[in-house]
Amino acid sequence: MNTFATPEMIEAEGFDAVVVAVGGHCQKPSVPGAEDTKWDVTNIYGHVDEIGHKVVVIGGNSTSAEAACYLAETGHEVVELSRQGRFASDLNPIRMISYMSRKLSSLGVKTKPQCTTLKIEPGKVTYEKNGETFVIECDDVLAAGGMDPNSDAAIAFYGSAPEFYMIGDCTQPDTIQTTNRSAYGAAMNI
């Protein structure tokens, strides 16, 4: 616990196999001003007291919707913007998309689908929908532009043990179900 693993450390221990699950990291959306935002879908947890009351979440995938729900559950006023026609569309379409939509609604998250974020400035977000421009005043912005795998960090462990497996988001960011399947596959091979 509380130990940063290195390939040298793993090699020195003489393990038979190494399973690397170093995850991914957030990308900023390609929106002017996004590069200056502090918050994303991974760094808000445990920091709700540092986040302003009125928050705009930019992004419509499941991690953005989950972050919007978390912020609403912790007392924030949340507006979520998405280019897509529905929120959390990367989830199972049979049951999870409707579940997430109901959860967002029940928590009071104001969802704005099919809109394009034009720019982020201190205290406001400008977006366009159906050719009309709108401005939302806010205290903070959570800007989600997807996840990028930490592949290089994972590959650094190649050769540190006779068997090497990469699982989860370090291969390709995806759902928890896919991550569990890759972990199960690695475990079965070992």
Side-chain angles (χ1 to χ4, degrees):
M1 299 294 289
N2 297 316
T3 302
F4 186 82
T6 65
E8 297 77 21
M9 176 192 303
I10 302 303
E11 191 171 355
E13 291 286 329
F15 291 105
D16 296 322
V18 61
V19 179
V20 184
V22 294
H25 59 276
C26 293
Q27 297 181 64
K28 298 288 185 181
S30 57
V31 173
E35 66 280 356
D36 297 325
T37 59
K38 177 179 180 179
W39 305 109
D40 61 47
V41 297
T42 62
N43 68 2
I44 60 167
Y45 299 98
H47 298 280
V48 292
D49 294 339
E50 301 168 41
I51 301 170
H53 179 68
K54 292 182 177 183
V55 183
V56 174
V57 174
I58 298 171
N61 67 12
S62 59
T63 56
S64 299
E66 290 165 357
C69 288
Y70 173 73
L71 289 169
E73 287 171 333
T74 56
H76 295 80
E77 186 178 312
V78 183
V79 176
E80 185 175 6
L81 305 174
S82 176
R83 293 175 297 185
Q84 300 173 42
R86 59 185 177 191
F87 290 83
S89 62
D90 55 325
L91 293 177
N92 179 309
I94 296 171
R95 65 183 185 284
M96 292 308 293
I97 292 173
S98 62
Y99 165 78
M100 187 58 75
S101 293
R102 284 192 311 274
K103 183 164 179 143
L104 287 163
S105 177
S106 72
L107 291 170
V109 174
K110 294 180 181 113
T111 56
K112 304 212 178 272
Q114 296 180 316
C115 60
T116 302
T117 305
L118 301 175
K119 64 183 170 179
I120 302 166
E121 298 173 281
K124 64 182 177 180
V125 172
T126 305
Y127 71 97
E128 182 270 327
K129 182 170 180 149
N130 298 326
E132 195 172 345
T133 301
F134 301 91
V135 175
I136 303 172
E137 293 185 10
C138 59
D139 300 314
D140 267 313
V141 176
L142 184 156
M147 298 291 284
D148 221 7
N150 289 333
S151 301
D152 291 342
I155 291 169
F157 286 88
Y158 183 78
S160 61
E163 291 184 56
F164 170 78
Y165 303 93
M166 289 172 45
I167 65 168
D169 287 354
C170 66
T171 60
Q172 177 181 337
D174 210 331
T175 65
I176 193 73
Q177 184 179 41
T178 303
T179 296
N180 286 341
R181 285 182 182 155
S182 66
Y184 178 80
M188 293 307 293
N189 282 330
I190 294 171

